[in-house]
Amino acid sequence: MGKTIAEKIFDAHLVDQPFEGTNILRLDRVFCHEITTPIAINDLVERGMDRVFDKTKIKAVIDHVSPAKDSKCATQEKILRDWARRHGIEDFYDIGDNGVCHAIFPEKGFVRPGFTVIMGDSHTCTHGAFGAFAAGVGTTDLEVGILKGVCSFRTPKTIKFVLNGSLKKGVYAKDVILFLIGQIGVNGATNCVAEFTGPVVDNFSMEERMTVCNMAVEAGATSGICLPDEKTVDYLWPFIQGEYKSKEEALADYSKWHDDPDAKYEKVLTFDLSNLAPVCTIKYKPDQIKPIAEMEGTHVDQVYIGSCTNGRISDLRVAASILKGKHLAKGVRGIVSPATPGIYKQALDEGLISVFMDAGFCVTNPTCGACLGMSNGVLAEGEVCASTTNRNFNGRMGKGGMVHLMSPASAAATAIKGTITNSPLYEG
């Protein structure tokens, strides 16, 4: 019987199967940040196991509260900083060099097709866009990964999403993944790998694929994944050109990480997205969505553009194209956070930062702070935010605050009008 890409990755990394359905996998990457990793570090120190399995395969960044907003955050960051120095972890990104983890690690070329990746962060599934098995894990698994370079996973089941048609102008990857979550629910892919295929995905850039895979976890998936292709090779070429004679050779090698024609799936879900309209969330779950046209006129206090979902250069370009020559509505504050220093500099060079500032936006350094209600954009009780982030849980961006998730285009249009509205790019 044929195998899915996830099954092939598991087979290639299998170390042991201590119990039926339990797979101990060798890890290619262990990613770390200052919110979850210090807990693991302290426990390893207390156990007399302050070691790392391979300092070249561990990558670390300070990204969630950057820079530190109080002594507690500063302590968390110091623990990670001292640990990285102690073990000679060269790929450690401190204040100034740091960015949002799920943006900066791909930007540095750390993820490749067929890799296994873990991190103490639920949105690690983002990296599946490269044809990797990437999953968020708890503290114990993170400790074992740091110490031994292995992690335990159940035998993977795959739900295949076949996305047909072509998207209308003004409809983006964020609209696609919100629509899919709305179709299957927040538990619809629990304990499964969500594999995204079809013409829509083929036409997506790598940044758009990262957006879709990023929110696979909001449907309960262990990992999102896309099949590697020419776009994957093009994105990675600066990092892999010493390993292959040509892009064609790289593509031929990466093609081994494709499903077999007779692979078996938990289920196959097919959607024609030709008539999809921009959508946004309502209430407090990512599967509670409506077309933005039905949310027209909904008041907002804040608009946030950034995060590991939509803080990349393509996102900023789209938002800036709508905001150029316009200004925030009176009474609405806008915040934009480029996801990495590289993205910030590129946006600066392209004049995008000036567009945002002229429109009245506060442009912040790369940080995750607003997304989880820790800094740089926390809501007051009763306030409403139109956000390009990935979660709209009750209190996510601040106690008593309401978050409506949407694309950067929709967020930019909403900022100008002061109420939720469709992007002027949308034709429908």
Side-chain angles (χ1 to χ4, degrees):
M1 182 183 293
K3 295 183 178 180
T4 65
I5 177 175
E7 289 170 335
K8 289 183 177 182
I9 294 172
F10 271 49
D11 285 351
H13 292 78
L14 187 64
V15 175
D16 192 15
Q17 287 181 314
F19 312 104
E20 184 178 354
T22 299
N23 305 271
I24 309 300
L25 303 185
R26 173 178 50 83
L27 297 174
D28 294 299
R29 294 286 184 267
V30 176
F31 293 155
C32 303
H33 62 53
E34 88 282 9
I35 296 298
T36 57
T37 308
I39 303 169
I41 292 170
N42 286 343
D43 192 55
L44 287 170
V45 169
E46 289 176 9
R47 294 172 182 272
M49 298 178 178
D50 183 24
R51 303 185 297 275
V52 298
F53 80 103
D54 186 334
K55 65 181 183 181
T56 68
K57 294 183 178 181
I58 295 176
K59 318 295 180 181
V61 65
I62 290 171
D63 68 345
H64 275 63
V65 184
S66 170
K69 66 182 178 69
D70 54 33
S71 296
K72 183 176 180 179
C73 291
T75 299
Q76 291 282 98
E77 295 176 9
K78 185 177 187 304
I79 291 170
L80 188 68
R81 188 178 294 120
D82 291 348
W83 172 77
R85 185 184 303 115
R86 192 161 66 239
H87 295 292
I89 297 170
E90 293 186 4
D91 294 318
F92 168 61
Y93 299 94
D94 207 339
I95 306 300
D97 293 324
N98 61 329
V100 175
C101 55
H102 306 309
I104 199 167
F105 291 150
E107 188 181 87
K108 299 294 184 182
F110 293 151
V111 186
R112 311 286 171 81
F115 269 21
T116 50
V117 181
I118 67 165
M119 187 177 194
D121 188 292
S122 57
H123 292 103
T124 307
C125 50
T126 306
H127 308 288
F130 292 86
F133 176 79
V137 298
T139 302
T140 300
D141 284 332
L142 181 60
E143 286 186 42
V144 174
I146 290 170
L147 185 65
K148 297 291 186 180
V150 296
C151 193
S152 174
F153 290 100
R154 298 178 183 178
T155 299
K157 298 180 292 183
T158 296
I159 297 177
K160 185 175 184 177
F161 293 84
V162 183
L163 308 183
N164 293 324
S166 58
L167 301 181
K168 291 183 176 181
K169 186 177 181 180
V171 181
Y172 297 90
K174 183 62 160 288
D175 298 301
V176 170
I177 189 59
L178 286 173
F179 168 78
L180 295 177
I181 296 167
Q183 292 296 301
I184 68 171
V186 292
N187 298 314
T190 299
N191 296 326
C192 292
V193 173
E195 180 183 305
F196 302 103
T197 65
V200 170
V201 179
D202 294 340
N203 288 327
F204 275 160
S205 67
M206 289 305 299
E207 295 192 350
E208 290 170 309
R209 294 176 190 181
M210 282 187 263
T211 292
V212 170
C213 287
N214 175 271
M215 291 190 66
V217 69
E218 313 308 340
T222 302
S223 181
I225 202 163
C226 298
L227 305 184
D229 61 7
E230 294 91 344
K231 291 182 179 179
T232 316
V233 173
D234 287 342
Y235 186 100
L236 290 174
W237 189 243
F239 311 103
I240 64 173
Q241 55 187 330
E243 302 170 24
Y244 298 99
K245 295 179 181 178
S246 66
K247 289 184 178 181
E248 291 73 21
E249 184 181 58
L251 180 61
D253 184 32
Y254 289 162
S255 293
K256 68 189 176 188
W257 304 114
H258 281 206
D259 298 336
D260 292 325
D262 57 341
K264 184 179 180 181
Y265 305 96
E266 184 72 8
K267 62 178 72 172
V268 177
L269 301 175
T270 302
F271 300 93
D272 186 338
L273 302 181
S274 299
N275 293 317
L276 182 64
V279 298
C280 69
T281 58
I282 60 174
K283 299 184 180 179
Y284 299 109
K285 292 201 303 179
D287 61 355
Q288 296 174 316
I289 67 164
K290 278 187 177 181
I292 282 185
E294 296 181 19
M295 295 289 287
E296 291 272 0
T298 302
H299 167 79
V300 299
D301 299 285
Q302 175 173 295
V303 172
Y304 182 82
I305 298 172
S307 84
C308 62
T309 315
N310 287 122
R312 299 178 179 84
I313 190 65
S314 56
D315 302 310
L316 302 188
R317 286 171 180 157
V318 168
S321 71
I322 294 168
L323 289 165
K324 190 171 185 177
K326 301 180 178 65
H327 199 276
L328 285 165
K330 187 176 181 180
V332 176
R333 59 187 182 273
I335 301 169
V336 60
S337 176
T340 71
I343 294 169
Y344 197 120
K345 186 176 187 306
Q346 190 171 355
L348 192 63
D349 292 343
E350 293 181 15
L352 307 183
I353 299 300
S354 291
V355 171
F356 286 116
M357 294 184 72
D358 290 346
F361 272 74
C362 168
V363 181
T364 81
N365 57 288
T367 178
C368 301
C371 179
L372 71 165
M374 293 190 72
S375 64
N376 292 50
V378 179
L379 299 176
E381 187 168 355
E383 288 192 319
V384 179
C385 181
S387 179
T388 68
T389 54
N390 46 43
R391 287 192 171 148
N392 59 327
F393 302 156
N394 193 355
R396 171 71 176 182
M397 290 184 74
K399 184 178 179 181
M402 167 68 80
V403 180
H404 295 291
L405 306 178
M406 60 186 68
S407 75
S410 299
T414 297
I416 297 165
K417 191 168 184 179
T419 58
I420 292 178
T421 188
N422 264 326
S423 157
L425 296 175
Y426 177 62
E427 297 176 353

